[in-house]
Amino acid sequence: MSLTEKDPRAPESGAQPPVVAGVFARVARFSHRRRWLALTLWIVVLVGVWAAASGGDDYRENYSLPGTESQAAADLLNHSSRTTTGDSLQIVLHDEDGLRGADVRGRVDAMLAEVAKLPKVTQVRSLYEDESAISRDGTIGYATAVLDVTAPNMPREDTERILDTVKEVEGQGLTAELGGGAARKLATGEGGWGEMLGLVFALVILVFMFGTLIAAGLPIVTALFAVGSTLAVIVVASHFVTIADYTPYVMMLVGLGVGIDYALLIFARFRSELVRGATPEEANVKALDSAGRTAFFAGSTVILALLGLVALGLGSLQGMALSVALTVLVTLLASLTLLPALLGVFGDRFARQFRARAAKRAASSRPEEGAAWRRFASGVQRRPLAVLLVAVVALGALAFPALSLRLGFTDAGNDKAGSTSREAYDLLSKGFGPGFNGPLYVVVEGKDGAAAPATAVAAALNDTDGVAAATGPIPTDDPNVATVMAFPTTSPQDEGTSELVGTLRDDVLPRVAEETGARYLVGGATAASEDYSDKVAARMPVFMAIVVGLSLLLLMVVFRSVLIPLKAALLNLLSIGAALGAISLVFQHGMFGVEPGPIEAYLPVVVFAIVFGLSMDYEIFLVSRIQEEWHRAKDPAVAVREGLGHTGSVIIAAGAIMVVVFGSFMLSPERMLQQMGFGMAVAIFVDALVIRCLIVPAAMQLLGRRAWWLPAPLAKVMPGVRLERH
């Protein structure tokens, strides 16, 4: 059988697109008849990839920003130093009676000597070696433990050993905390139980929908096989390509959501065919040949959207985007092969159960399934313009705060209260000022030595509003390169610090450069955040053009319409805007008591890619059924009403599952995952409930027959596929 075949019920106009068929039907039939072979193959794959991954992972992050000033500053410093060291930890000490007393100093020196002997520690610089390391009132100070590894590569157990040694000094009014990147890992705790809670809620929803635990469990089993296999592949791949350590959590977030979603769509169609009297094999084939193809094209839009992240050229996102795209691909394969095999195993049992339930429903004179959704659709159709305007205005209001998103990266000030990294952050802010935790550094490159121009810039910085103090010059191994540290008067995440970066780059440093002829580069965490945000903003139009453009082309091919893809793109942008607005209200402005702070700089593009793709899932599922009814009845009002009647309950159930799975990541100790999970949960809630159940029926009612308009020249050259067979 060929990949495409003509639909025998082509309309009179004759311009009937081919139907993607054959492949899905054959896969379903093979998986059903050879179900034990298919199950065995998936088990072998799962065991095999995890055996290959038994050596462990090598996750690492790449936040380099080629072409930016902060990256140039970091590169210049690295090239000017003959030795390379790892990151450092701050041992922060506090005693209201002062740290300079002989007894306190003796205890602290003994503790620091013990820390110096611990693994991964190459050097400890005592607070008593530098007067600037003790606050003016003498109550707060910090020592520095230099590591031989970077913070992401510091083993957690080694950091815990350092913390335990530091804590031994406490007592008699003296407290000690540990700050730094490696210490922040201790604040995150261990995740995992939140995701399990999401799966439990998903199972409850599926049980209510299908009435049996086995039926409810199949979509979850399918998703777990897919995500589990892909996670093992990524563990192996992490040894060869750069993959950030948060990638597995994003993979689980998306993989579990779409895996359960796609399996649910196929299973719902399978149940419908069984109730109509089809044999389990026939129901399997028909389900995969309709809902399976819908899931295939829906998954393709998610993969396209994720691959669009690669166009941004940001190393920290490319590995994650490819990993999540692979997760969606494997999830699709599982939905199209593993799920039909499982349906084949339990098909006869499901046939008896679902038919008995349908007969009982008919005997009780209860309304037929979908009757409530048809009444709901009729209500929307009576006032389509009013429904459309109210819904769009409401979502626009929710999206409005997204216009003032402040991007950046979280620091220890966002760690949970009581954690050692948060306590260290607060003590340093109290003792040395809010800007101490996020200093800016100015790298000076002179032609005939860096000392004089560095001294000049230090003086200029000390006279600049927003700078609490500037210290330096700090020499390097290259006499022509030096560093000046500038401590802002505001905290690292304060808008004033971001404005200070702009002032230094645009005003202060150019004036000093004219006087000295030296080169000045501003680096530091805040400067890097600004550069990252600027780079994302500059490349965002290309990214959006790729994602939206390819999705539009795919939907035009699928639905042979111009207006439906345009409507879908606009509504998807609306749901993304609402999600970003909600993220801003909660995480940036502190609604519901959440610690306020900036939104992770890369989060908007990640949410855009994932949510845009997922929103297309529901669009394709709903509109493909409307299209099926349109070809059958040729009445746009009936098509909308019947389309929502057949799919409304499935969309709400699928959306509810997505919301609980994504929402469970709010329980994660990682703030980035909290932001992502919350934003995507809001987006799916808005998309499933407001957009698909209100705005789409209203818009399709207003468009009428024009919804299926395709210019004749395009109709002649454009290939087409039909998602639903009828």
Side-chain angles (χ1 to χ4, degrees):
M1 186 180 294
S2 62
L3 178 65
T4 62
E5 64 182 36
K6 292 290 183 179
D7 189 333
R9 295 190 57 176
E12 293 77 3
S13 60
Q16 174 67 35
V19 179
V20 174
V23 172
F24 295 96
R26 282 187 293 175
V27 168
R29 206 175 298 279
F30 173 85
S31 297
H32 182 92
R33 294 179 177 178
R34 303 286 187 271
R35 43 191 174 273
W36 295 113
L37 174 61
L39 287 171
T40 302
L41 288 175
W42 269 101
I43 293 172
V44 168
V45 168
L46 184 63
V47 173
V49 291
W50 274 110
S54 59
D57 59 69
D58 186 23
Y59 296 124
R60 53 196 183 278
E61 299 181 17
N62 175 18
Y63 289 113
S64 61
L65 295 170
T68 63
E69 185 170 333
S70 58
Q71 186 65 48
D75 292 341
L76 183 56
L77 274 182
N78 290 334
H79 293 154
S80 63
S81 178
R82 297 190 188 97
T83 60
T84 55
T85 60
D87 289 327
S88 61
L89 290 167
Q90 290 78 47
I91 301 170
V92 184
L93 300 146
H94 176 229
D95 193 322
E96 288 294 340
D97 296 328
L99 295 170
R100 293 188 174 92
D103 177 62
V104 172
R105 179 165 182 168
R107 292 162 56 197
V108 170
D109 284 340
M111 177 269 292
L112 296 179
E114 291 299 315
V115 170
K117 299 175 185 177
L118 295 176
K120 307 299 182 185
V121 178
T122 61
Q123 177 188 359
V124 175
R125 292 196 291 267
S126 172
L127 64 162
Y128 301 112
E129 297 174 13
D130 183 0
E131 276 298 314
S132 65
I134 301 179
S135 63
R136 291 181 180 179
D137 63 5
T139 62
I140 298 174
Y142 65 93
T144 303
V146 181
L147 308 175
D148 61 5
V149 295
T150 59
N153 295 319
M154 178 69 172
R156 184 187 180 97
E157 57 270 19
D158 287 332
T159 307
E160 289 174 340
R161 191 178 305 177
I162 295 173
L163 177 61
D164 292 341
T165 304
V166 166
K167 285 291 186 179
E168 289 176 0
V169 80
E170 291 188 329
Q172 302 176 26
L174 178 64
T175 60
E177 304 292 349
L178 196 62
R184 293 196 64 200
K185 288 185 176 181
L186 304 181
T188 61
E190 298 292 339
W193 69 275
E195 297 91 302
M196 294 304 300
L197 187 61
L199 287 178
V200 170
F201 278 114
L203 182 62
V204 171
I205 294 171
L206 289 169
V207 168
F208 272 107
M209 184 173 183
F210 294 121
T212 70
L213 187 60
I214 294 177
L218 294 192
I220 293 178
V221 170
T222 304
L224 289 175
F225 260 89
V227 174
S229 301
T230 316
L231 279 174
V233 172
I234 298 305
V235 168
V236 176
S238 67
H239 293 274
F240 306 99
V241 296
T242 301
I243 299 176
D245 58 0
Y246 60 81
T247 299
Y249 298 103
V250 181
M251 290 169 59
M252 286 190 288
L253 179 76
V254 177
L256 291 176
V258 300
I260 296 173
D261 217 21
Y262 297 155
L264 172 60
L265 301 184
I266 295 171
F267 195 102
R269 191 61 182 251
F270 174 78
R271 181 185 64 170
S272 176
E273 296 297 335
L274 285 179
V275 171
R276 291 177 183 174
T279 66
E281 182 175 347
E282 291 171 345
N284 220 337
V285 172
K286 291 180 180 179
L288 213 64
D289 208 25
S290 54
R293 280 182 287 141
T294 300
F296 174 79
F297 285 103
S300 298
T301 63
V302 180
I303 293 172
L304 286 176
L306 286 165
L307 293 180
L309 287 173
V310 179
L312 286 173
L314 300 174
S316 58
L317 291 181
Q318 289 176 325
M320 183 276 291
L322 292 172
S323 300
V324 180
L326 178 63
T327 303
V328 176
L329 177 61
V330 175
T331 298
L332 272 177
L333 292 176
S335 299
L336 299 176
T337 57
L338 175 60
L339 180 61
L342 293 171
L343 295 179
V345 172
F346 298 102
D348 291 332
R349 174 184 294 189
F350 290 155
R352 292 192 299 270
Q353 291 175 339
F354 295 149
R355 288 169 186 167
R357 192 172 294 114
K360 185 177 180 181
R361 184 187 189 96
S364 64
S365 301
R366 293 169 60 189
E368 64 175 325
E369 193 168 352
W373 283 105
R374 292 181 180 88
R375 291 195 300 272
F376 180 83
S378 297
V380 172
Q381 289 175 316
R382 283 194 291 271
R383 299 285 188 275
L385 186 59
V387 170
L388 184 66
L389 290 177
V390 170
V392 169
V393 169
L395 294 185
L398 182 57
F400 183 76
L403 298 176
S404 59
L405 276 179
R406 186 162 61 85
L407 303 180
F409 292 101
T410 56
D411 57 25
N414 300 113
D415 291 346
K416 62 182 179 181
S419 63
T420 189
S421 56
R422 174 64 181 272
E423 293 297 316
Y425 179 97
D426 292 340
L427 284 172
L428 291 173
S429 296
K430 179 181 177 182
F432 301 94
F436 184 83
N437 286 292
L440 302 172
Y441 61 82
V442 179
V443 182
V444 184
E445 185 179 29
K447 298 177 181 177
D448 301 311
T455 302
V457 79
L461 290 173
N462 278 314
D463 291 334
T464 301
D465 291 339
V467 176
T471 62
I474 303 170
T476 67
D477 294 331
D478 186 341
N480 291 325
V481 178
T483 306
V484 174
M485 303 297 294
F487 297 95
T489 57
T490 50
S491 67
Q493 297 178 6
D494 194 284
E495 265 188 278
T497 308
S498 299
E499 293 171 359
L500 177 61
V501 173
T503 300
L504 296 182
R505 288 176 169 175
D506 301 335
D507 182 23
V508 177
L509 297 182
R511 284 191 284 106
V512 181
E514 287 183 8
E515 298 171 2
T516 63
R519 180 188 181 200
Y520 298 95
L521 299 169
V522 180
T526 303
S529 294
E530 293 297 304
D531 290 340
Y532 197 102
S533 301
D534 291 343
K535 193 146 192 170
V536 169
R539 298 186 181 185
M540 192 72 172
V542 175
F543 165 67
M544 291 181 64
I546 292 174
V547 173
V548 177
L550 290 177
S551 298
L552 284 175
L553 287 175
L554 181 62
L555 289 188
M556 286 178 66
V557 169
V558 169
F559 294 121
R560 296 185 67 79
S561 166
V562 172
L563 297 180
I564 287 177
L566 288 174
K567 168 192 63 64
L570 291 174
L571 293 180
N572 289 355
L573 293 176
L574 188 60
S575 67
I576 292 168
L580 294 178
I583 291 174
S584 175
L585 288 173
V586 174
F587 291 94
Q588 180 175 318
H589 299 288
M591 184 178 285
F592 305 129
V594 175
E595 182 76 30
I599 306 304
E600 294 290 332
Y602 49 80
L603 192 67
V605 291
V606 173
V607 169
F608 181 96
I610 296 175
V611 170
F612 191 90
L614 295 179
S615 296
M616 285 297 184
D617 288 1
Y618 297 119
E619 175 73 10
I620 291 176
F621 183 61
L622 172 59
V623 177
S624 64
R625 194 57 191 248
I626 294 175
Q627 184 185 42
E628 178 181 2
E629 299 300 332
W630 160 249
H631 283 293
R632 179 178 290 118
K634 292 303 177 184
D635 185 331
V638 171
V640 171
R641 186 165 56 252
E642 290 299 315
L644 191 60
H646 284 291
T647 62
S649 60
V650 178
I651 289 175
I652 292 299
I657 290 171
M658 283 266 200
V659 168
V660 297
V661 171
F662 293 159
S664 68
F665 278 73
M666 280 287 290
L667 302 174
S668 168
E670 293 282 349
R671 184 177 172 91
M672 182 274 290
L673 291 176
Q674 292 175 0
Q675 293 180 358
M676 184 177 294
F678 175 77
M680 292 172 60
V682 170
I684 296 301
F685 176 84
V686 164
D687 195 89
L689 185 62
V690 180
I691 291 181
R692 303 307 152 196
C693 296
L694 289 174
I695 296 180
V696 169
M700 294 292 288
Q701 178 68 21
L702 291 172
L703 289 173
R705 293 175 176 270
R706 293 184 295 275
W708 309 104
W709 171 73
L710 183 69
L714 276 179
K716 291 179 181 178
V717 300
M718 181 179 293
V721 297
R722 185 74 64 74
L723 292 181
E724 300 289 349
R725 297 175 64 81
H726 43 272

